[in-house]
Amino acid sequence: MAKPRPGKKDLDAYTIRGTTKVVRGKPPYVARIEKIEADNRNNIKVRVRWYYRPEESIGGRRQFHGAKELFLSDHYDVQSAHTIEGKCTVHSFKNYTKLENVGAEDYYCRFEYKAATGGFTPDRVAVYCKCEMPYNPDDLMVQCEGCKDWYHPACVGMTIEEAKKLDRFVCSECSSDDDVKKPLTAFSASPAADGKVEPKRRKR
């Protein structure tokens, strides 16, 4: 770790003068408030259940984890109410994929996480495409009109730009020998929930 220059110190956040806007070097911690209590001196405490970001988990961030993805952990804590910086919304995965506009305070959760063991619930999720990866709502996917499965453009030899311009898509398995190349359709909506199942996660 680099040593700070003499007379200088690193800050986690800075409030812009004349505003309430806070500029942070690190993303804020997110927790679900379970209980709010006041002691006999009227000090307000909150019991919270922490959300973890993928990079904070034992397995780390993987390709299918979205930028706004959080895991609801079994890590409980008691904090002063003064540590609360603001309010955010943690959506279910299904509801998040239906949002028309994702704001800075919008997150989603599809897994519960055991901090001590690195285990996830559920330990199986639907997977899509040739790469058999779970759906990442940050990534564009195209749906085959034949089998109705969803594919990443790169996995079927297309760029994102090409996928956005095309009209219909039939995957190579559904294409007949006579009509291998058909027009393509790009969909940015979430894949259907009836996909294949990802093999059980290995503990690292």
PDB file of all heavy atoms in Angstrom, residues 121-152:
ATOM      1  N   THR A 121     -28.044 -19.309  -0.946  1.00  0.00           N
ATOM      2  CA  THR A 121     -29.401 -19.826  -1.081  1.00  0.00           C
ATOM      3  C   THR A 121     -30.156 -18.904  -2.041  1.00  0.00           C
ATOM      4  O   THR A 121     -30.172 -17.700  -1.808  1.00  0.00           O
ATOM      5  CB  THR A 121     -30.139 -19.846   0.272  1.00  0.00           C
ATOM      6  OG1 THR A 121     -29.359 -20.621   1.206  1.00  0.00           O
ATOM      7  CG2 THR A 121     -31.515 -20.461   0.134  1.00  0.00           C
ATOM      8  N   PRO A 122     -30.731 -19.423  -3.135  1.00  0.00           N
ATOM      9  CA  PRO A 122     -30.648 -20.816  -3.574  1.00  0.00           C
ATOM     10  C   PRO A 122     -29.252 -21.141  -4.095  1.00  0.00           C
ATOM     11  O   PRO A 122     -28.506 -20.243  -4.473  1.00  0.00           O
ATOM     12  CB  PRO A 122     -31.682 -20.878  -4.702  1.00  0.00           C
ATOM     13  CG  PRO A 122     -31.696 -19.486  -5.270  1.00  0.00           C
ATOM     14  CD  PRO A 122     -31.476 -18.574  -4.102  1.00  0.00           C
ATOM     15  N   ASP A 123     -28.904 -22.455  -4.108  1.00  0.00           N
ATOM     16  CA  ASP A 123     -27.596 -22.834  -4.629  1.00  0.00           C
ATOM     17  C   ASP A 123     -27.692 -23.269  -6.090  1.00  0.00           C
ATOM     18  O   ASP A 123     -26.699 -23.682  -6.692  1.00  0.00           O
ATOM     19  CB  ASP A 123     -26.947 -23.929  -3.778  1.00  0.00           C
ATOM     20  CG  ASP A 123     -27.755 -25.214  -3.745  1.00  0.00           C
ATOM     21  OD1 ASP A 123     -28.813 -25.281  -4.401  1.00  0.00           O
ATOM     22  OD2 ASP A 123     -27.326 -26.160  -3.066  1.00  0.00           O
ATOM     23  N   ARG A 124     -28.890 -23.133  -6.666  1.00  0.00           N
ATOM     24  CA  ARG A 124     -29.086 -23.388  -8.095  1.00  0.00           C
ATOM     25  C   ARG A 124     -29.932 -22.269  -8.684  1.00  0.00           C
ATOM     26  O   ARG A 124     -30.910 -21.855  -8.059  1.00  0.00           O
ATOM     27  CB  ARG A 124     -29.805 -24.722  -8.328  1.00  0.00           C
ATOM     28  CG  ARG A 124     -28.971 -25.933  -7.980  1.00  0.00           C
ATOM     29  CD  ARG A 124     -29.818 -27.191  -8.013  1.00  0.00           C
ATOM     30  NE  ARG A 124     -28.968 -28.360  -7.861  1.00  0.00           N
ATOM     31  CZ  ARG A 124     -28.810 -29.273  -8.809  1.00  0.00           C
ATOM     32  NH1 ARG A 124     -29.452 -29.171  -9.960  1.00  0.00           N
ATOM     33  NH2 ARG A 124     -28.012 -30.311  -8.606  1.00  0.00           N
ATOM     34  N   VAL A 125     -29.559 -21.800  -9.859  1.00  0.00           N
ATOM     35  CA  VAL A 125     -30.345 -20.779 -10.553  1.00  0.00           C
ATOM     36  C   VAL A 125     -30.419 -21.133 -12.037  1.00  0.00           C
ATOM     37  O   VAL A 125     -29.607 -21.912 -12.535  1.00  0.00           O
ATOM     38  CB  VAL A 125     -29.738 -19.359 -10.398  1.00  0.00           C
ATOM     39  CG1 VAL A 125     -29.848 -18.874  -8.975  1.00  0.00           C
ATOM     40  CG2 VAL A 125     -28.301 -19.311 -10.876  1.00  0.00           C
ATOM     41  N   ALA A 126     -31.393 -20.559 -12.733  1.00  0.00           N
ATOM     42  CA  ALA A 126     -31.532 -20.791 -14.168  1.00  0.00           C
ATOM     43  C   ALA A 126     -30.312 -20.265 -14.911  1.00  0.00           C
ATOM     44  O   ALA A 126     -29.765 -19.219 -14.568  1.00  0.00           O
ATOM     45  CB  ALA A 126     -32.798 -20.107 -14.683  1.00  0.00           C
ATOM     46  N   VAL A 127     -29.867 -21.040 -15.921  1.00  0.00           N
ATOM     47  CA  VAL A 127     -28.746 -20.603 -16.762  1.00  0.00           C
ATOM     48  C   VAL A 127     -29.195 -20.557 -18.210  1.00  0.00           C
ATOM     49  O   VAL A 127     -30.153 -21.220 -18.602  1.00  0.00           O
ATOM     50  CB  VAL A 127     -27.501 -21.518 -16.602  1.00  0.00           C
ATOM     51  CG1 VAL A 127     -26.956 -21.445 -15.189  1.00  0.00           C
ATOM     52  CG2 VAL A 127     -27.815 -22.959 -16.990  1.00  0.00           C
ATOM     53  N   TYR A 128     -28.496 -19.767 -19.013  1.00  0.00           N
ATOM     54  CA  TYR A 128     -28.878 -19.526 -20.395  1.00  0.00           C
ATOM     55  C   TYR A 128     -27.661 -19.559 -21.299  1.00  0.00           C
ATOM     56  O   TYR A 128     -26.521 -19.524 -20.821  1.00  0.00           O
ATOM     57  CB  TYR A 128     -29.558 -18.152 -20.517  1.00  0.00           C
ATOM     58  CG  TYR A 128     -30.761 -18.005 -19.609  1.00  0.00           C
ATOM     59  CD1 TYR A 128     -30.615 -17.505 -18.317  1.00  0.00           C
ATOM     60  CD2 TYR A 128     -32.018 -18.419 -20.017  1.00  0.00           C
ATOM     61  CE1 TYR A 128     -31.700 -17.397 -17.469  1.00  0.00           C
ATOM     62  CE2 TYR A 128     -33.110 -18.324 -19.169  1.00  0.00           C
ATOM     63  CZ  TYR A 128     -32.951 -17.808 -17.899  1.00  0.00           C
ATOM     64  OH  TYR A 128     -34.019 -17.725 -17.061  1.00  0.00           O
ATOM     65  N   CYS A 129     -27.925 -19.605 -22.606  1.00  0.00           N
ATOM     66  CA  CYS A 129     -26.891 -19.443 -23.621  1.00  0.00           C
ATOM     67  C   CYS A 129     -25.984 -20.676 -23.695  1.00  0.00           C
ATOM     68  O   CYS A 129     -26.058 -21.584 -22.880  1.00  0.00           O
ATOM     69  CB  CYS A 129     -26.085 -18.171 -23.346  1.00  0.00           C
ATOM     70  SG  CYS A 129     -24.938 -17.705 -24.668  1.00  0.00           S
ATOM     71  N   LYS A 130     -25.100 -20.689 -24.702  1.00  0.00           N
ATOM     72  CA  LYS A 130     -24.132 -21.772 -24.861  1.00  0.00           C
ATOM     73  C   LYS A 130     -23.169 -21.818 -23.678  1.00  0.00           C
ATOM     74  O   LYS A 130     -22.655 -22.868 -23.307  1.00  0.00           O
ATOM     75  CB  LYS A 130     -23.313 -21.568 -26.137  1.00  0.00           C
ATOM     76  CG  LYS A 130     -24.102 -21.677 -27.426  1.00  0.00           C
ATOM     77  CD  LYS A 130     -23.183 -21.386 -28.598  1.00  0.00           C
ATOM     78  CE  LYS A 130     -23.922 -21.533 -29.912  1.00  0.00           C
ATOM     79  NZ  LYS A 130     -23.033 -21.253 -31.064  1.00  0.00           N
ATOM     80  N   CYS A 131     -22.914 -20.649 -23.102  1.00  0.00           N
ATOM     81  CA  CYS A 131     -21.954 -20.565 -21.991  1.00  0.00           C
ATOM     82  C   CYS A 131     -22.550 -21.032 -20.669  1.00  0.00           C
ATOM     83  O   CYS A 131     -21.837 -21.166 -19.670  1.00  0.00           O
ATOM     84  CB  CYS A 131     -21.424 -19.137 -21.864  1.00  0.00           C
ATOM     85  SG  CYS A 131     -22.690 -17.909 -21.451  1.00  0.00           S
ATOM     86  N   GLU A 132     -23.869 -21.274 -20.654  1.00  0.00           N
ATOM     87  CA  GLU A 132     -24.579 -21.747 -19.464  1.00  0.00           C
ATOM     88  C   GLU A 132     -24.289 -20.901 -18.227  1.00  0.00           C
ATOM     89  O   GLU A 132     -23.905 -21.389 -17.166  1.00  0.00           O
ATOM     90  CB  GLU A 132     -24.270 -23.228 -19.194  1.00  0.00           C
ATOM     91  CG  GLU A 132     -24.795 -24.139 -20.287  1.00  0.00           C
ATOM     92  CD  GLU A 132     -24.828 -25.601 -19.903  1.00  0.00           C
ATOM     93  OE1 GLU A 132     -24.084 -25.991 -18.979  1.00  0.00           O
ATOM     94  OE2 GLU A 132     -25.605 -26.340 -20.504  1.00  0.00           O
ATOM     95  N   MET A 133     -24.508 -19.593 -18.395  1.00  0.00           N
ATOM     96  CA  MET A 133     -24.326 -18.655 -17.289  1.00  0.00           C
ATOM     97  C   MET A 133     -25.684 -18.118 -16.843  1.00  0.00           C
ATOM     98  O   MET A 133     -26.586 -17.949 -17.661  1.00  0.00           O
ATOM     99  CB  MET A 133     -23.445 -17.485 -17.731  1.00  0.00           C
ATOM    100  CG  MET A 133     -22.008 -17.882 -18.027  1.00  0.00           C
ATOM    101  SD  MET A 133     -21.120 -18.408 -16.552  1.00  0.00           S
ATOM    102  CE  MET A 133     -20.840 -16.842 -15.767  1.00  0.00           C
ATOM    103  N   PRO A 134     -25.827 -17.810 -15.542  1.00  0.00           N
ATOM    104  CA  PRO A 134     -27.050 -17.137 -15.089  1.00  0.00           C
ATOM    105  C   PRO A 134     -27.192 -15.772 -15.753  1.00  0.00           C
ATOM    106  O   PRO A 134     -26.214 -15.201 -16.240  1.00  0.00           O
ATOM    107  CB  PRO A 134     -26.845 -17.004 -13.577  1.00  0.00           C
ATOM    108  CG  PRO A 134     -25.847 -18.049 -13.234  1.00  0.00           C
ATOM    109  CD  PRO A 134     -24.937 -18.128 -14.425  1.00  0.00           C
ATOM    110  N   TYR A 135     -28.396 -15.251 -15.740  1.00  0.00           N
ATOM    111  CA  TYR A 135     -28.687 -13.969 -16.391  1.00  0.00           C
ATOM    112  C   TYR A 135     -28.082 -12.802 -15.632  1.00  0.00           C
ATOM    113  O   TYR A 135     -28.227 -12.693 -14.417  1.00  0.00           O
ATOM    114  CB  TYR A 135     -30.203 -13.811 -16.502  1.00  0.00           C
ATOM    115  CG  TYR A 135     -30.657 -12.500 -17.085  1.00  0.00           C
ATOM    116  CD1 TYR A 135     -30.192 -12.063 -18.319  1.00  0.00           C
ATOM    117  CD2 TYR A 135     -31.562 -11.692 -16.400  1.00  0.00           C
ATOM    118  CE1 TYR A 135     -30.613 -10.860 -18.856  1.00  0.00           C
ATOM    119  CE2 TYR A 135     -31.985 -10.487 -16.928  1.00  0.00           C
ATOM    120  CZ  TYR A 135     -31.510 -10.080 -18.162  1.00  0.00           C
ATOM    121  OH  TYR A 135     -31.929  -8.881 -18.686  1.00  0.00           O
ATOM    122  N   ASN A 136     -27.401 -11.942 -16.360  1.00  0.00           N
ATOM    123  CA  ASN A 136     -26.892 -10.677 -15.825  1.00  0.00           C
ATOM    124  C   ASN A 136     -27.723  -9.567 -16.452  1.00  0.00           C
ATOM    125  O   ASN A 136     -27.655  -9.359 -17.670  1.00  0.00           O
ATOM    126  CB  ASN A 136     -25.412 -10.508 -16.181  1.00  0.00           C
ATOM    127  CG  ASN A 136     -24.822  -9.204 -15.651  1.00  0.00           C
ATOM    128  OD1 ASN A 136     -25.538  -8.267 -15.301  1.00  0.00           O
ATOM    129  ND2 ASN A 136     -23.506  -9.126 -15.603  1.00  0.00           N
ATOM    130  N   PRO A 137     -28.517  -8.823 -15.672  1.00  0.00           N
ATOM    131  CA  PRO A 137     -29.397  -7.805 -16.264  1.00  0.00           C
ATOM    132  C   PRO A 137     -28.654  -6.656 -16.925  1.00  0.00           C
ATOM    133  O   PRO A 137     -29.260  -5.863 -17.638  1.00  0.00           O
ATOM    134  CB  PRO A 137     -30.232  -7.318 -15.069  1.00  0.00           C
ATOM    135  CG  PRO A 137     -29.426  -7.669 -13.867  1.00  0.00           C
ATOM    136  CD  PRO A 137     -28.671  -8.907 -14.217  1.00  0.00           C
ATOM    137  N   ASP A 138     -27.340  -6.562 -16.718  1.00  0.00           N
ATOM    138  CA  ASP A 138     -26.556  -5.516 -17.388  1.00  0.00           C
ATOM    139  C   ASP A 138     -26.226  -5.890 -18.829  1.00  0.00           C
ATOM    140  O   ASP A 138     -25.791  -5.047 -19.609  1.00  0.00           O
ATOM    141  CB  ASP A 138     -25.230  -5.270 -16.644  1.00  0.00           C
ATOM    142  CG  ASP A 138     -25.452  -4.782 -15.222  1.00  0.00           C
ATOM    143  OD1 ASP A 138     -26.538  -4.261 -14.928  1.00  0.00           O
ATOM    144  OD2 ASP A 138     -24.529  -4.938 -14.401  1.00  0.00           O
ATOM    145  N   ASP A 139     -26.383  -7.166 -19.177  1.00  0.00           N
ATOM    146  CA  ASP A 139     -25.982  -7.650 -20.504  1.00  0.00           C
ATOM    147  C   ASP A 139     -27.171  -7.830 -21.432  1.00  0.00           C
ATOM    148  O   ASP A 139     -28.198  -8.397 -21.031  1.00  0.00           O
ATOM    149  CB  ASP A 139     -25.249  -8.995 -20.378  1.00  0.00           C
ATOM    150  CG  ASP A 139     -23.929  -8.877 -19.648  1.00  0.00           C
ATOM    151  OD1 ASP A 139     -23.392  -7.752 -19.572  1.00  0.00           O
ATOM    152  OD2 ASP A 139     -23.434  -9.909 -19.156  1.00  0.00           O
ATOM    153  N   LEU A 140     -27.023  -7.398 -22.672  1.00  0.00           N
ATOM    154  CA  LEU A 140     -28.023  -7.628 -23.705  1.00  0.00           C
ATOM    155  C   LEU A 140     -28.023  -9.105 -24.073  1.00  0.00           C
ATOM    156  O   LEU A 140     -26.965  -9.726 -24.145  1.00  0.00           O
ATOM    157  CB  LEU A 140     -27.680  -6.799 -24.945  1.00  0.00           C
ATOM    158  CG  LEU A 140     -28.602  -6.984 -26.160  1.00  0.00           C
ATOM    159  CD1 LEU A 140     -29.908  -6.243 -25.947  1.00  0.00           C
ATOM    160  CD2 LEU A 140     -27.915  -6.487 -27.427  1.00  0.00           C
ATOM    161  N   MET A 141     -29.212  -9.676 -24.286  1.00  0.00           N
ATOM    162  CA  MET A 141     -29.317 -11.048 -24.768  1.00  0.00           C
ATOM    163  C   MET A 141     -30.327 -11.099 -25.900  1.00  0.00           C
ATOM    164  O   MET A 141     -31.189 -10.220 -26.018  1.00  0.00           O
ATOM    165  CB  MET A 141     -29.743 -12.002 -23.641  1.00  0.00           C
ATOM    166  CG  MET A 141     -28.746 -12.090 -22.500  1.00  0.00           C
ATOM    167  SD  MET A 141     -29.120 -13.392 -21.302  1.00  0.00           S
ATOM    168  CE  MET A 141     -28.387 -14.810 -22.135  1.00  0.00           C
ATOM    169  N   VAL A 142     -30.197 -12.109 -26.771  1.00  0.00           N
ATOM    170  CA  VAL A 142     -31.141 -12.306 -27.874  1.00  0.00           C
ATOM    171  C   VAL A 142     -31.860 -13.629 -27.655  1.00  0.00           C
ATOM    172  O   VAL A 142     -31.271 -14.585 -27.137  1.00  0.00           O
ATOM    173  CB  VAL A 142     -30.425 -12.280 -29.251  1.00  0.00           C
ATOM    174  CG1 VAL A 142     -29.864 -10.895 -29.522  1.00  0.00           C
ATOM    175  CG2 VAL A 142     -29.332 -13.329 -29.346  1.00  0.00           C
ATOM    176  N   GLN A 143     -33.137 -13.667 -28.034  1.00  0.00           N
ATOM    177  CA  GLN A 143     -33.934 -14.870 -27.821  1.00  0.00           C
ATOM    178  C   GLN A 143     -34.179 -15.588 -29.140  1.00  0.00           C
ATOM    179  O   GLN A 143     -34.559 -14.967 -30.136  1.00  0.00           O
ATOM    180  CB  GLN A 143     -35.272 -14.536 -27.172  1.00  0.00           C
ATOM    181  CG  GLN A 143     -36.064 -15.791 -26.781  1.00  0.00           C
ATOM    182  CD  GLN A 143     -37.396 -15.460 -26.138  1.00  0.00           C
ATOM    183  OE1 GLN A 143     -38.045 -14.484 -26.504  1.00  0.00           O
ATOM    184  NE2 GLN A 143     -37.813 -16.270 -25.185  1.00  0.00           N
ATOM    185  N   CYS A 144     -33.952 -16.900 -29.129  1.00  0.00           N
ATOM    186  CA  CYS A 144     -34.208 -17.718 -30.319  1.00  0.00           C
ATOM    187  C   CYS A 144     -35.707 -17.903 -30.476  1.00  0.00           C
ATOM    188  O   CYS A 144     -36.401 -18.243 -29.515  1.00  0.00           O
ATOM    189  CB  CYS A 144     -33.520 -19.074 -30.176  1.00  0.00           C
ATOM    190  SG  CYS A 144     -33.962 -20.248 -31.472  1.00  0.00           S
ATOM    191  N   GLU A 145     -36.206 -17.678 -31.701  1.00  0.00           N
ATOM    192  CA  GLU A 145     -37.637 -17.846 -31.953  1.00  0.00           C
ATOM    193  C   GLU A 145     -38.055 -19.308 -31.969  1.00  0.00           C
ATOM    194  O   GLU A 145     -39.228 -19.616 -31.854  1.00  0.00           O
ATOM    195  CB  GLU A 145     -38.010 -17.191 -33.288  1.00  0.00           C
ATOM    196  CG  GLU A 145     -37.928 -15.681 -33.249  1.00  0.00           C
ATOM    197  CD  GLU A 145     -38.539 -15.039 -34.474  1.00  0.00           C
ATOM    198  OE1 GLU A 145     -38.800 -15.752 -35.462  1.00  0.00           O
ATOM    199  OE2 GLU A 145     -38.762 -13.822 -34.443  1.00  0.00           O
ATOM    200  N   GLY A 146     -37.066 -20.213 -32.106  1.00  0.00           N
ATOM    201  CA  GLY A 146     -37.393 -21.632 -32.135  1.00  0.00           C
ATOM    202  C   GLY A 146     -37.475 -22.223 -30.741  1.00  0.00           C
ATOM    203  O   GLY A 146     -38.551 -22.557 -30.246  1.00  0.00           O
ATOM    204  N   CYS A 147     -36.341 -22.322 -30.077  1.00  0.00           N
ATOM    205  CA  CYS A 147     -36.290 -22.977 -28.760  1.00  0.00           C
ATOM    206  C   CYS A 147     -36.619 -22.038 -27.606  1.00  0.00           C
ATOM    207  O   CYS A 147     -36.778 -22.475 -26.468  1.00  0.00           O
ATOM    208  CB  CYS A 147     -34.912 -23.593 -28.542  1.00  0.00           C
ATOM    209  SG  CYS A 147     -33.553 -22.390 -28.515  1.00  0.00           S
ATOM    210  N   LYS A 148     -36.678 -20.732 -27.883  1.00  0.00           N
ATOM    211  CA  LYS A 148     -36.990 -19.699 -26.881  1.00  0.00           C
ATOM    212  C   LYS A 148     -35.872 -19.502 -25.853  1.00  0.00           C
ATOM    213  O   LYS A 148     -36.070 -18.817 -24.855  1.00  0.00           O
ATOM    214  CB  LYS A 148     -38.313 -19.978 -26.135  1.00  0.00           C
ATOM    215  CG  LYS A 148     -39.513 -20.156 -27.047  1.00  0.00           C
ATOM    216  CD  LYS A 148     -39.769 -18.935 -27.885  1.00  0.00           C
ATOM    217  CE  LYS A 148     -41.003 -19.105 -28.770  1.00  0.00           C
ATOM    218  NZ  LYS A 148     -41.177 -17.997 -29.718  1.00  0.00           N
ATOM    219  N   ASP A 149     -34.700 -20.096 -26.084  1.00  0.00           N
ATOM    220  CA  ASP A 149     -33.575 -19.870 -25.176  1.00  0.00           C
ATOM    221  C   ASP A 149     -32.960 -18.508 -25.475  1.00  0.00           C
ATOM    222  O   ASP A 149     -33.196 -17.925 -26.535  1.00  0.00           O
ATOM    223  CB  ASP A 149     -32.516 -20.970 -25.344  1.00  0.00           C
ATOM    224  CG  ASP A 149     -31.662 -21.153 -24.092  1.00  0.00           C
ATOM    225  OD1 ASP A 149     -31.812 -20.344 -23.142  1.00  0.00           O
ATOM    226  OD2 ASP A 149     -30.838 -22.091 -24.049  1.00  0.00           O
ATOM    227  N   TRP A 150     -32.184 -17.994 -24.522  1.00  0.00           N
ATOM    228  CA  TRP A 150     -31.568 -16.672 -24.644  1.00  0.00           C
ATOM    229  C   TRP A 150     -30.064 -16.818 -24.808  1.00  0.00           C
ATOM    230  O   TRP A 150     -29.443 -17.698 -24.202  1.00  0.00           O
ATOM    231  CB  TRP A 150     -31.861 -15.839 -23.395  1.00  0.00           C
ATOM    232  CG  TRP A 150     -33.309 -15.486 -23.227  1.00  0.00           C
ATOM    233  CD1 TRP A 150     -34.296 -16.287 -22.742  1.00  0.00           C
ATOM    234  CD2 TRP A 150     -33.932 -14.236 -23.523  1.00  0.00           C
ATOM    235  NE1 TRP A 150     -35.480 -15.619 -22.716  1.00  0.00           N
ATOM    236  CE2 TRP A 150     -35.290 -14.356 -23.189  1.00  0.00           C
ATOM    237  CE3 TRP A 150     -33.465 -13.024 -24.026  1.00  0.00           C
ATOM    238  CZ2 TRP A 150     -36.192 -13.322 -23.340  1.00  0.00           C
ATOM    239  CZ3 TRP A 150     -34.360 -11.985 -24.187  1.00  0.00           C
ATOM    240  CH2 TRP A 150     -35.702 -12.130 -23.845  1.00  0.00           C
ATOM    241  N   TYR A 151     -29.465 -15.927 -25.623  1.00  0.00           N
ATOM    242  CA  TYR A 151     -28.041 -16.021 -25.946  1.00  0.00           C
ATOM    243  C   TYR A 151     -27.364 -14.654 -25.830  1.00  0.00           C
ATOM    244  O   TYR A 151     -27.964 -13.625 -26.163  1.00  0.00           O
ATOM    245  CB  TYR A 151     -27.847 -16.539 -27.373  1.00  0.00           C
ATOM    246  CG  TYR A 151     -28.329 -17.951 -27.574  1.00  0.00           C
ATOM    247  CD1 TYR A 151     -29.662 -18.217 -27.892  1.00  0.00           C
ATOM    248  CD2 TYR A 151     -27.459 -19.038 -27.431  1.00  0.00           C
ATOM    249  CE1 TYR A 151     -30.115 -19.516 -28.061  1.00  0.00           C
ATOM    250  CE2 TYR A 151     -27.905 -20.347 -27.603  1.00  0.00           C
ATOM    251  CZ  TYR A 151     -29.232 -20.577 -27.917  1.00  0.00           C
ATOM    252  OH  TYR A 151     -29.677 -21.856 -28.076  1.00  0.00           O
ATOM    253  N   HIS A 152     -26.102 -14.685 -25.412  1.00  0.00           N
ATOM    254  CA  HIS A 152     -25.283 -13.477 -25.481  1.00  0.00           C
ATOM    255  C   HIS A 152     -24.841 -13.309 -26.933  1.00  0.00           C
ATOM    256  O   HIS A 152     -24.413 -14.283 -27.565  1.00  0.00           O
ATOM    257  CB  HIS A 152     -24.028 -13.617 -24.600  1.00  0.00           C
ATOM    258  CG  HIS A 152     -24.331 -13.860 -23.160  1.00  0.00           C
ATOM    259  ND1 HIS A 152     -24.126 -15.086 -22.556  1.00  0.00           N
ATOM    260  CD2 HIS A 152     -24.820 -13.031 -22.216  1.00  0.00           C
ATOM    261  CE1 HIS A 152     -24.490 -15.006 -21.291  1.00  0.00           C
ATOM    262  NE2 HIS A 152     -24.913 -13.772 -21.051  1.00  0.00           N
TER     263      HIS A 152
END
